[in-house]
């Protein structure tokens, strides 16, 4: 019995490696183009005819899978049957992928075995890591939203922000100077300003004694006691007029704002014969959301396998999720597995939270 056994160490988590092994479009990027088999669930056709070591296209069927650790396939290549096993193990650097193919009916010739094994090793060590790197970059979320950013971009250079801060402080200092000068000019132009200033200048020590003597008798009638009582009398009349009018006007207008509605985002992770859906329900308000519901409308021919994070019920193609209260400023995540045997009916056709449409992840 001739078998093929290969392994590769990858600097990516098992979940990402599993996605590259089970997503039909990703398989076409690193190994061979893949199509769903019409009318047959859990089957896929790999266009391997023409690749080194392959005589025809290979029809594969999933016999066992444990996400994201094990994937077993039954392969049929023009009547030659093999069993293909993919094992993903977690390592300190990421994960290790081991691929083993064993013939169960028929066998390869010596001329086929070597190029077939080389083709598989090249795909695992060159093209698969490149697709994983590309997939990791696609999964980086740089959008700024209510939940923050997934990745922070590094700051380039330190002179730009420092110069900007210095310019801002200089602008603030200039504005403060303009305000002080304007206030001084306004004070100088008041009706009582020049008189007080003139009196202060006339009383300076450098004035002649004759001038001081002439000014002395006229100073008492121009003294400020006449101005101070006028300001003292005006202030009590102004304060009662403001106090009663402010309180009645402000009391009836105060009302608590309505709580903001819940928001939800959904996304899917494709795999063979279905996908894993995820809905994140967020509460931007200041009080817990006691009751809520998310309705996801599946495509024709799709069905739900398993749900984690919420209670659910199905009415036709509509799946309604509900669960514990969403805390203030917090969120709840719902994950569900969907099986779908047709390639064009993989994504949900609708998603709402309390009647409002969801946003895509």
């Amino acid at each position: 019995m001739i078998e093929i056994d290969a392994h590769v160490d990858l600097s990516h988590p098992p979940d990402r490696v599993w996605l590259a092994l089970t997503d039909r479009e990703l398989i076409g990027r690193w190994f061979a183009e893949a199509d769903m088999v019409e009318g047959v669930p859990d089957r896929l056709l790999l266009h391997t005819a023409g690749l080194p070591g392959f005589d025809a296209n290979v029809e594969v069927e999933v016999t066992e899978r444990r996400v994201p650790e094990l994937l077993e396939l039954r392969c049929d290549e023009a009547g030659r049957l093999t069993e293909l096993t993919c094992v993903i193990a977690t390592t300190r650097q990421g994960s290790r992928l081991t691929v083993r193919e064993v013939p169960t009916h028929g066998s390869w010739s010596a001329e086929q075995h070597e190029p077939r094994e080389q083709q598989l090793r090249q795909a695992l060590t060159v093209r698969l890591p490149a697709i994983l790197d590309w997939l990791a970059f696609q999964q980086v979320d740089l959008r700024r939203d209510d939940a923050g950013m997934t990745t922070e971009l590094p700051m380039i250079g330190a002179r730009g922000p420092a110069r900007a801060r210095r310019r801002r402080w200089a602008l603030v200092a200039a504005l403060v100077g303009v305000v002080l000068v304007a206030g001084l000019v306004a004070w100088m132009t008041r009706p009582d300003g020049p008189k007080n200033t003139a009196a202060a200048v006339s009383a300076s020590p450098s004035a002649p004694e004759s001038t001081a003597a002439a000014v002395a008798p006229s100073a008492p009638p121009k003294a400020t006691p006449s101005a101070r009582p006028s300001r003292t009398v005006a202030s009590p009349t102004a304060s009662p007029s403001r106090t009663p009018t402010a309180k009645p006007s402000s009391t009836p207008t105060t009302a608590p704002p309505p709580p903001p509605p819940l928001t939800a985002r959904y996304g899917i992770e494709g795999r063979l014969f279905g996908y894993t859906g995820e809905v994140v329900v967020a509460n931007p308000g200041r009080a817990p959301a006691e009751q809520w519901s998310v309705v996801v409308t599946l495509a024709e021919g799709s069905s739900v396998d398993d749900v984690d994070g919420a209670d659910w019920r199905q009415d036709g193609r509509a799946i309604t999720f509900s669960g514990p209260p969403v805390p203030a400023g917090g969120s709840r995540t719902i994950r569900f597995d969907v099986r779908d045997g047709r390639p064009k009916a993989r994504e949900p056709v609708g998603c709402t939270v309390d009647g409002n449409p969801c946003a895509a992840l």
Side-chain angles (χ1 to χ4, degrees), residues 242-278:
R242 286 195 299 267
T243 304
T245 56
K247 291 182 179 179
S249 61
S250 60
T251 303
T253 57
T254 28
L262 298 181
T263 62
R265 298 174 298 160
Y266 84 95
I268 64 172
E269 295 179 2
R271 63 170 190 270
L272 284 176
F273 317 116
Y275 59 87
T276 297
E278 181 178 277

Side-chain angles (χ1 to χ4, degrees), residues 3-8 10 30-31 52 54 97-101 113-129:
E3 64 181 34
I4 294 177
D5 194 358
H7 70 271
V8 57
L10 302 166
W30 70 270
F31 185 66
F54 292 84
L97 172 62
T98 302
V99 178
R100 185 184 184 189
E101 188 175 16
H113 180 269
E114 184 176 356
R116 188 186 187 101
E117 186 175 18
Q118 290 180 356
Q119 174 71 16
L120 181 60
R121 291 184 183 276
Q122 183 182 17
L124 293 177
T125 58
V126 178
R127 292 194 293 272
L128 178 59

Side-chain angles (χ1 to χ4, degrees), residues 261-307:
L262 298 181
T263 62
R265 298 174 298 160
Y266 84 95
I268 64 172
E269 295 179 2
R271 63 170 190 270
L272 284 176
F273 317 116
Y275 59 87
T276 297
E278 181 178 277
V279 177
V280 180
V281 182
N283 179 12
R286 298 183 178 180
E290 300 293 339
Q291 296 181 351
W292 56 272
S293 64
V294 172
V295 179
V296 175
T297 305
L298 302 179
E300 187 71 31
S302 300
S303 60
V304 173
D305 274 354
D306 190 20
V307 176

Side-chain angles (χ1 to χ4, degrees), residues 87-142:
V87 178
I88 306 174
T90 303
T91 62
R92 182 174 300 178
Q93 291 77 20
S95 58
R96 167 172 287 193
L97 172 62
T98 302
V99 178
R100 185 184 184 189
E101 188 175 16
V102 179
T104 58
H105 180 76
S107 61
W108 305 300
S109 63
E111 292 78 15
Q112 283 182 306
H113 180 269
E114 184 176 356
R116 188 186 187 101
E117 186 175 18
Q118 290 180 356
Q119 174 71 16
L120 181 60
R121 291 184 183 276
Q122 183 182 17
L124 293 177
T125 58
V126 178
R127 292 194 293 272
L128 178 59
I131 289 300
L132 291 173
D133 292 342
W134 173 84
L135 183 61
F137 178 79
Q138 296 297 316
Q139 292 176 342
V140 172
D141 184 7
L142 298 179

Side-chain angles (χ1 to χ4, degrees), residues 31-33 45-59 76-77 116 119:
F31 185 66
E33 294 293 331
L45 182 65
L46 299 178
H47 294 274
T48 54
L51 294 179
F54 292 84
D55 292 336
N57 295 336
V58 177
E59 184 174 328
D76 184 357
E77 182 185 358
R116 188 186 187 101
Q119 174 71 16

Side-chain angles (χ1 to χ4, degrees), residues 202-219:
S202 62
S204 61
S206 58
E209 295 180 0
S210 60
T211 306
V215 174
S218 61

